[in-house]
Amino acid sequence: MIIAVDGPAASGKGTIARALARHYGLPHLDTGLLYRAVALTVERLGLDPSREADAVAACDFDERVLADPLLRSDAVGQRASIVSAHPLVRASLLQRQRRFAAQPGGAVLDGRDIGTVIAPDATAKLFVKAAAQVRARRRHAELQATGSSIGLDQVLADIRARDARDEGRAAAPLVQAADAAPLDTSNLSIEASVQRAIEMVEAQR
Ligand code: C5P
């Protein structure tokens, strides 16, 4: 069983994907971390994320970077959306994601293009979304909890910028797969979102 969970930043897709993996006893891959690892490596090598050749050079990143706490920062997320627009970066990370999805027993993957490109034949596909204001409030609360003093307006502007880049790029843009079930978490608690996600997977398998 392969479960594809796609959606924009701070929509709740990561939380839902982790909960589905626990529920079904499947391994889980947060594919955003791969693009974040490329972005952080580009930065550390002093390269330019907007140059495709520079970003490609960072695709062969040191695996230890995947455990770096800096990976989850907003700044790295923004740069991840710059490196992820390069077709050669996406091609370089494709097989790794497909191999993960092809494990015996199955897997849960979350990202932007799992249902459309990585696993178009997934058993179940969810497209998790939420209003930009709601996503900004969630991300803002998370950042405050880590001691950040960034304002809500800035977080909202960052989310909108990242949405625009992810939806507007030519290579594997963020878009709901035709056969994905939409799940709007704007007015749902985490528990209710997970419950609804399990019902949607059950309806598709
Ligand atoms: O999901 P997360 O916020 O960690 O993703 C960081 C960035 O990586 C996204 O904004 C997007 O540009 C890119 N990404 C992608 N395809 C994926 C997962 C993430 O392009 N499957």
Side-chain angles (χ1 to χ4, degrees), residues 102-128:
Q103 291 179 78
V108 180
L109 288 85
D110 75 83
R112 303 290 188 291
D113 64 339
I114 309 304
T116 50
V117 175
I118 304 297
D121 298 326
T123 321
K125 298 183 186 179
L126 303 184
F127 192 81
V128 183

Side-chain angles (χ1 to χ4, degrees), residues 13 30-33 35-36 77 80-81 84 90 97 111-114 162 166 169:
K13 66 181 185 313
D30 171 356
T31 64
L33 286 183
Y35 294 94
R36 286 171 181 264
S81 81
S84 73
R90 307 201 69 83
Q97 297 172 78
R112 303 290 188 291
D113 64 339
I114 309 304
R162 196 133 72 94
D166 290 347
R169 68 184 177 218

Side-chain angles (χ1 to χ4, degrees), residues 81 84-85 160-175:
S81 81
S84 73
R160 291 214 159 110
R162 196 133 72 94
D163 283 356
R165 269 201 297 274
D166 290 347
E167 290 166 0
R169 68 184 177 218
L174 170 65
V175 63

Side-chain angles (χ1 to χ4, degrees), residues 31-94:
T31 64
L33 286 183
L34 304 178
Y35 294 94
R36 286 171 181 264
V38 174
L40 189 54
T41 302
V42 163
E43 188 185 341
R44 293 203 168 137
L45 293 175
L47 300 173
D48 176 357
S50 62
R51 284 196 62 225
E52 184 161 41
D54 282 13
V56 167
C59 285
D60 191 20
F61 55 78
D62 182 334
E63 293 295 309
R64 285 173 297 188
V65 83
L66 290 170
D68 194 314
L70 264 182
L71 219 53
R72 312 245 173 210
S73 74
D74 247 32
V76 171
Q78 291 294 340
R79 279 195 292 276
S81 81
I82 295 172
V83 299
S84 73
H86 302 305
L88 291 178
V89 168
R90 307 201 69 83
S92 163
L93 299 177
L94 181 83

Side-chain angles (χ1 to χ4, degrees), residues 6-32:
D6 289 303
S11 58
K13 66 181 185 313
T15 304
I16 288 172
R18 275 191 300 278
L20 288 172
R22 244 191 331 272
H23 181 81
Y24 290 105
L26 295 172
H28 165 238
L29 179 64
D30 171 356
T31 64

